[in-house]
Amino acid sequence: MSTDTAGTAADGTAADPTVEELRTQTRLLAGELPGTLRRITLRAGSISVDVEWETAPTAQSPAQAPAAPAAVTAHAPAPAPASATQQSDGTPDGLVRVTAPLVGTYYQAPAPGAEPFVKVGDTVEAGQQLAVIEAMKLLNSITAEVKGTVHAIHAVDGEVVEYAQPLIDLRPAG
C-alpha cells in the first residue's frame, strides 16, 4: 500500500502510521546491513521486526573457516561425536530443542538468587516452566513442549538471547 505524506492510503483511507513507519525503518535497515539478507519478518501487532542476514565475507587464509551467519550464537553445544546423527536443525536425534521465541534477556530463575526453574537431569512435564525471557519489561515464560528430562542448557543466565537461539534440549520420556 502506498501512502502520501499526510498518512492516507492511495484509496483515501487512513493508513496506520505505526505500520508505515515500521515498513520504512525496515527498508532502511535492510539497506544498511552488511552481507546478504536472509530473512525479514514484520509484525504489526505489538510491533516486531526480526532480521537475519549473513555477515560479509572477509579476507581469510585457507586454514580459516568461512564466516558464520550473524544469527549464530557463541553458546552453541559441543559438537556431537561423528557416529551420532543430528536432525536438520542441528539437534541430536532423540532430543527436543527449546528455542527462544523472541529477543530478550534469559533468566533461569524467577528471581536473583532463587533456585533455577530446571537443572540438567531434572524431569519436566509438558507445559512446565523452564525459564523466562524479559523483553520490553515483560516476562515471557518458556515452557516444555514435551514430558522428559533436561539434557542440556545452552543459554547463560542474565545474557541476551536471539530469536530462535537454542535454550534447552529435552530428552522426551518414553
Side-chain angles (χ1 to χ4, degrees), residues 102-113:
L102 71 164
V103 175
T105 305
Y106 173 85
Y107 294 107
Q108 293 177 332

Side-chain angles (χ1 to χ4, degrees), residues 74-145:
H75 303 294
S83 62
T85 58
Q86 293 189 346
Q87 299 171 25
S88 62
D89 67 354
T91 305
D93 276 346
L95 297 180
V96 174
R97 178 157 286 166
V98 179
T99 59
L102 71 164
V103 175
T105 305
Y106 173 85
Y107 294 107
Q108 293 177 332
E115 285 293 314
F117 292 106
V118 295
K119 298 181 286 268
V120 173
D122 285 356
T123 300
V124 298
E125 297 292 325
Q128 179 178 339
Q129 187 169 5
L130 304 174
V132 293
I133 295 179
E134 179 186 5
M136 298 175 56
K137 304 291 184 190
L138 297 175
L139 295 177
N140 300 274
S141 294
I142 306 303
T143 57
E145 297 174 10

Side-chain angles (χ1 to χ4, degrees), residues 10-158:
D11 63 1
T13 60
D16 184 349
T18 305
V19 173
E20 189 59 36
E21 181 65 21
L22 179 63
R23 184 180 302 140
T24 301
Q25 292 300 320
T26 302
R27 285 184 186 139
L28 290 172
L29 176 64
E32 295 173 0
L33 294 174
T36 304
L37 183 63
R38 293 179 62 186
R39 177 179 57 94
I40 294 180
T41 304
L42 300 174
R43 290 181 193 92
S46 300
I47 302 178
S48 172
V49 177
D50 299 324
V51 180
E52 184 178 326
W53 68 95
E54 294 179 8
T55 57
T58 57
Q60 50 182 298
S61 69
Q64 288 179 317
V72 173
T73 66
H75 303 294
S83 62
T85 58
Q86 293 189 346
Q87 299 171 25
S88 62
D89 67 354
T91 305
D93 276 346
L95 297 180
V96 174
R97 178 157 286 166
V98 179
T99 59
L102 71 164
V103 175
T105 305
Y106 173 85
Y107 294 107
Q108 293 177 332
E115 285 293 314
F117 292 106
V118 295
K119 298 181 286 268
V120 173
D122 285 356
T123 300
V124 298
E125 297 292 325
Q128 179 178 339
Q129 187 169 5
L130 304 174
V132 293
I133 295 179
E134 179 186 5
M136 298 175 56
K137 304 291 184 190
L138 297 175
L139 295 177
N140 300 274
S141 294
I142 306 303
T143 57
E145 297 174 10
V146 297
K147 178 180 179 178
T149 305
V150 177
H151 178 75
I153 299 175
H154 304 289
V156 177
D157 191 48

